PDB file of all heavy atoms in Angstrom:
ATOM      1  N   THR A 151      74.919  89.048 -59.200  1.00 97.00           N
ATOM      2  CA  THR A 151      74.638  90.470 -58.904  1.00 97.00           C
ATOM      3  C   THR A 151      75.067  90.785 -57.425  1.00 97.00           C
ATOM      4  O   THR A 151      75.196  91.945 -57.075  1.00 97.00           O
ATOM      5  CB  THR A 151      73.161  90.801 -59.003  1.00 97.00           C
ATOM      6  OG1 THR A 151      72.372  89.929 -58.020  1.00 97.00           O
ATOM      7  CG2 THR A 151      72.640  90.490 -60.404  1.00 97.00           C
ATOM      8  N   GLY A 152      75.320  89.747 -56.589  1.00 97.00           N
ATOM      9  CA  GLY A 152      75.763  90.064 -55.207  1.00 97.00           C
ATOM     10  C   GLY A 152      74.523  90.164 -54.325  1.00 97.00           C
ATOM     11  O   GLY A 152      74.623  90.309 -53.130  1.00 97.00           O
ATOM     12  N   GLU A 153      73.294  89.916 -54.799  1.00 97.00           N
ATOM     13  CA  GLU A 153      72.090  89.896 -53.993  1.00 97.00           C
ATOM     14  C   GLU A 153      72.112  88.619 -53.095  1.00 97.00           C
ATOM     15  O   GLU A 153      71.620  88.723 -51.963  1.00 97.00           O
ATOM     16  CB  GLU A 153      70.836  89.782 -54.904  1.00 97.00           C
ATOM     17  CG  GLU A 153      70.611  91.037 -55.752  1.00 97.00           C
ATOM     18  CD  GLU A 153      69.481  90.885 -56.695  1.00 97.00           C
ATOM     19  OE1 GLU A 153      68.340  90.974 -56.275  1.00 97.00           O
ATOM     20  OE2 GLU A 153      69.717  90.619 -57.824  1.00 97.00           O
ATOM     21  N   TYR A 154      72.620  87.530 -53.581  1.00 98.00           N
ATOM     22  CA  TYR A 154      72.815  86.310 -52.805  1.00 98.00           C
ATOM     23  C   TYR A 154      74.282  86.138 -52.604  1.00 98.00           C
ATOM     24  O   TYR A 154      75.118  86.181 -53.461  1.00 98.00           O
ATOM     25  CB  TYR A 154      72.263  85.144 -53.563  1.00 98.00           C
ATOM     26  CG  TYR A 154      70.700  84.966 -53.386  1.00 98.00           C
ATOM     27  CD1 TYR A 154      69.983  85.932 -52.864  1.00 98.00           C
ATOM     28  CD2 TYR A 154      70.094  83.809 -53.920  1.00 98.00           C
ATOM     29  CE1 TYR A 154      68.570  85.629 -52.651  1.00 98.00           C
ATOM     30  CE2 TYR A 154      68.760  83.653 -53.871  1.00 98.00           C
ATOM     31  CZ  TYR A 154      67.942  84.547 -53.288  1.00 98.00           C
ATOM     32  OH  TYR A 154      66.627  84.347 -53.212  1.00 98.00           O
ATOM     33  N   ILE A 155      74.557  85.828 -51.329  1.00 97.00           N
ATOM     34  CA  ILE A 155      75.988  85.494 -50.934  1.00 97.00           C
ATOM     35  C   ILE A 155      76.172  84.110 -50.680  1.00 97.00           C
ATOM     36  O   ILE A 155      75.392  83.478 -49.982  1.00 97.00           O
ATOM     37  CB  ILE A 155      76.413  86.353 -49.699  1.00 97.00           C
ATOM     38  CG1 ILE A 155      76.378  87.917 -50.043  1.00 97.00           C
ATOM     39  CG2 ILE A 155      77.851  86.032 -49.222  1.00 97.00           C
ATOM     40  CD1 ILE A 155      76.434  88.726 -48.869  1.00 97.00           C
ATOM     41  N   GLY A 156      77.226  83.471 -51.237  1.00 97.00           N
ATOM     42  CA  GLY A 156      77.384  82.050 -51.152  1.00 97.00           C
ATOM     43  C   GLY A 156      78.434  81.522 -50.088  1.00 97.00           C
ATOM     44  O   GLY A 156      79.318  82.343 -49.745  1.00 97.00           O
ATOM     45  N   ALA A 157      78.114  80.413 -49.515  1.00 97.00           N
ATOM     46  CA  ALA A 157      78.993  79.747 -48.551  1.00 97.00           C
ATOM     47  C   ALA A 157      78.967  78.287 -48.756  1.00 97.00           C
ATOM     48  O   ALA A 157      78.101  77.698 -49.436  1.00 97.00           O
ATOM     49  CB  ALA A 157      78.545  80.057 -47.158  1.00 97.00           C
ATOM     50  N   ILE A 158      80.027  77.580 -48.271  1.00 96.00           N
ATOM     51  CA  ILE A 158      80.079  76.105 -48.393  1.00 96.00           C
ATOM     52  C   ILE A 158      80.217  75.581 -46.955  1.00 96.00           C
ATOM     53  O   ILE A 158      81.015  76.058 -46.172  1.00 96.00           O
ATOM     54  CB  ILE A 158      81.121  75.621 -49.297  1.00 96.00           C
ATOM     55  CG1 ILE A 158      81.041  74.154 -49.433  1.00 96.00           C
ATOM     56  CG2 ILE A 158      82.522  76.128 -48.928  1.00 96.00           C
ATOM     57  CD1 ILE A 158      81.889  73.546 -50.653  1.00 96.00           C
ATOM     58  N   ALA A 159      79.486  74.556 -46.588  1.00 95.00           N
ATOM     59  CA  ALA A 159      79.433  74.006 -45.232  1.00 95.00           C
ATOM     60  C   ALA A 159      79.913  72.611 -45.248  1.00 95.00           C
ATOM     61  O   ALA A 159      79.105  71.665 -45.588  1.00 95.00           O
ATOM     62  CB  ALA A 159      78.068  74.157 -44.641  1.00 95.00           C
ATOM     63  N   MET A 160      81.132  72.311 -44.925  1.00 92.00           N
ATOM     64  CA  MET A 160      81.632  70.954 -44.830  1.00 92.00           C
ATOM     65  C   MET A 160      82.017  70.604 -43.366  1.00 92.00           C
ATOM     66  O   MET A 160      81.560  69.575 -42.849  1.00 92.00           O
ATOM     67  CB  MET A 160      82.889  70.855 -45.659  1.00 92.00           C
ATOM     68  CG  MET A 160      82.580  70.860 -47.219  1.00 92.00           C
ATOM     69  SD  MET A 160      84.027  70.489 -48.179  1.00 92.00           S
ATOM     70  CE  MET A 160      84.937  72.096 -48.118  1.00 92.00           C
ATOM     71  N   THR A 161      82.816  71.502 -42.674  1.00 90.00           N
ATOM     72  CA  THR A 161      83.325  71.199 -41.353  1.00 90.00           C
ATOM     73  C   THR A 161      82.268  71.161 -40.274  1.00 90.00           C
ATOM     74  O   THR A 161      81.377  71.972 -40.244  1.00 90.00           O
ATOM     75  CB  THR A 161      84.371  72.314 -41.000  1.00 90.00           C
ATOM     76  OG1 THR A 161      85.322  72.387 -42.032  1.00 90.00           O
ATOM     77  CG2 THR A 161      84.998  72.065 -39.780  1.00 90.00           C
ATOM     78  N   GLU A 162      82.426  70.204 -39.404  1.00 89.00           N
ATOM     79  CA  GLU A 162      81.515  70.030 -38.195  1.00 89.00           C
ATOM     80  C   GLU A 162      82.302  70.125 -37.032  1.00 89.00           C
ATOM     81  O   GLU A 162      83.499  69.908 -36.902  1.00 89.00           O
ATOM     82  CB  GLU A 162      80.760  68.704 -38.379  1.00 89.00           C
ATOM     83  CG  GLU A 162      79.833  68.652 -39.615  1.00 89.00           C
ATOM     84  CD  GLU A 162      78.921  67.463 -39.600  1.00 89.00           C
ATOM     85  OE1 GLU A 162      79.012  66.572 -38.620  1.00 89.00           O
ATOM     86  OE2 GLU A 162      78.212  67.263 -40.576  1.00 89.00           O
ATOM     87  N   PRO A 163      81.605  70.508 -35.865  1.00 86.00           N
ATOM     88  CA  PRO A 163      82.238  70.641 -34.577  1.00 86.00           C
ATOM     89  C   PRO A 163      83.147  69.511 -34.144  1.00 86.00           C
ATOM     90  O   PRO A 163      84.230  69.681 -33.618  1.00 86.00           O
ATOM     91  CB  PRO A 163      81.098  70.857 -33.590  1.00 86.00           C
ATOM     92  CG  PRO A 163      79.985  71.460 -34.486  1.00 86.00           C
ATOM     93  CD  PRO A 163      80.205  70.816 -35.755  1.00 86.00           C
TER      94      PRO A 163
END
Side-chain angles (χ1 to χ4, degrees):
T151 61
E153 294 172 80
Y154 279 4
I155 297 170
I158 184 164
M160 292 185 280
T161 305
E162 296 189 2

